[in-house]
């Protein structure tokens, strides 16, 4: 009976060791599963974080592209406006040159007319001077003849 009890005791010890071993294996499996679940959650969180980071990067990239496009559009508008102003300025200068050319022609024409008028006045004056000299010469000639005639008459009387 002692042997049976010892046998029973040994069997119970074996059973206890098996239970302990089974519990340890179960705990290891549980711990392993917990570890795997934690790792899975960590991976999911990491993926979510990475996805949010990537989405933010993409939003920033899109915003940067939009800003660049806006800047390009503004630059194009500014360039077109500058070209338009340049064309207006060129046209204004062209019109000014045309106007200045017209004024210059008018001034040249007036100057020519004035020179012609002065020339005519000068010719008329020269003509008047010539006529006056001729008249004075003729008067002097007439006076000289009269004086000669008077002298001859005086000589005849003498």
């Amino acid at each position: 009976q002692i042997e049976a009890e010892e046998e029973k005791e040994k069997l119970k010890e074996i059973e206890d060791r098996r239970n302990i071993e089974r519990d340890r294996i179960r705990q290891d499996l549980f711990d392993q599963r917990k570890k795997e679940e934690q790792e899975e959650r960590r991976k999911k969180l990491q993926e979510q974080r990475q996805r949010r980071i990537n989405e933010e990067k993409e939003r920033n990239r899109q915003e940067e592209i939009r800003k660049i496009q806006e800047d390009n559009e503004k630059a194009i508008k500014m360039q077109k406006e500058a070209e338009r102003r340049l064309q207006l300025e060129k046209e204004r200068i062209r019109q000014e040159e045309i106007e200045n050319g017209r004024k210059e022609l008018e001034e040249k024409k007036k100057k020519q007319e004035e020179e012609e008028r002065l020339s005519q006045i000068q010719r008329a004056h020269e003509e008047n001077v010539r006529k006056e000299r001729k008249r004075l010469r003729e008067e002097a000639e007439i006076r000289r003849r009269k004086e000669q005639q008077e002298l001859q008459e005086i000589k005849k009387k003498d």
Side-chain angles (χ1 to χ4, degrees), residues 36 59 63 83 87 91 98 100 109 144 149:
E36 288 172 356
R59 273 194 303 275
E63 181 64 18
E83 287 171 358
Q87 283 305 114
E91 181 60 23
I98 289 171
N100 288 344
K109 187 178 177 186
R144 190 187 57 77
Q149 213 174 17

Side-chain angles (χ1 to χ4, degrees), residues 3-136:
E3 277 183 29
E5 284 225 10
E6 282 180 6
E7 191 62 32
K8 225 181 184 185
E9 188 81 23
K10 279 184 183 177
L11 284 175
K12 190 166 185 344
E13 275 181 33
I14 290 172
E15 184 66 27
D16 285 348
R17 276 196 305 251
R18 277 190 195 149
N19 286 339
I20 289 171
E21 185 62 23
R22 195 171 1 139
D23 286 347
R24 193 188 55 76
I25 289 172
R26 275 187 189 150
Q27 188 62 44
D28 285 352
L29 286 173
F30 179 79
D31 289 348
Q32 181 64 29
R33 200 167 69 245
K34 280 286 183 193
K35 217 175 185 182
E36 288 172 356
E37 286 173 358
Q38 277 182 330
E39 183 61 22
E40 191 62 32
R41 275 197 305 277
R42 191 193 63 75
K43 279 183 180 177
K44 280 183 179 176
L45 286 173
Q46 180 63 28
E47 286 172 1
Q48 283 178 340
R49 247 192 321 267
Q50 192 59 45
R51 193 167 41 253
R52 279 196 302 272
I53 289 169
N54 290 344
E55 287 170 355
E56 183 64 23
K57 281 182 182 177
E58 181 61 19
R59 273 194 303 275
N60 290 342
R61 191 181 75 79
Q62 290 296 329
E63 181 64 18
E64 192 63 29
I65 288 171
R66 187 187 62 72
K67 284 180 183 176
I68 289 170
Q69 286 173 337
E70 282 178 4
D71 290 348
N72 287 343
E73 288 170 6
K74 282 180 188 174
I76 288 168
K77 282 181 184 176
M78 287 170 64
Q79 184 179 1
K80 284 181 180 177
E81 179 61 19
E83 287 171 358
R84 187 185 68 78
R85 279 198 224 117
L86 180 63
Q87 283 305 114
L88 288 174
E89 183 63 14
K90 281 182 180 178
E91 181 60 23
R92 186 191 64 74
I93 290 170
R94 193 179 72 76
Q95 290 297 330
E96 204 174 89
E97 287 172 348
I98 289 171
E99 182 64 21
N100 288 344
R102 188 182 59 73
K103 284 181 181 175
E104 278 181 34
L105 285 175
E106 285 176 4
E107 286 175 18
K108 280 183 182 177
K109 187 178 177 186
K110 281 181 184 177
K111 204 174 198 179
Q112 261 185 328
E113 288 172 353
E114 182 63 18
E115 286 174 0
E116 184 61 33
R117 192 178 68 75
L118 289 174
S119 179
Q120 285 175 350
I121 291 171
Q122 187 178 356
R123 283 195 303 273
H125 175 69
E126 288 171 356
E127 183 64 28
N128 288 340
V129 167
R130 251 189 358 284
K131 284 180 181 177
E132 182 63 20
R133 283 184 184 155
K134 185 179 175 186
R135 187 184 65 74
L136 290 174

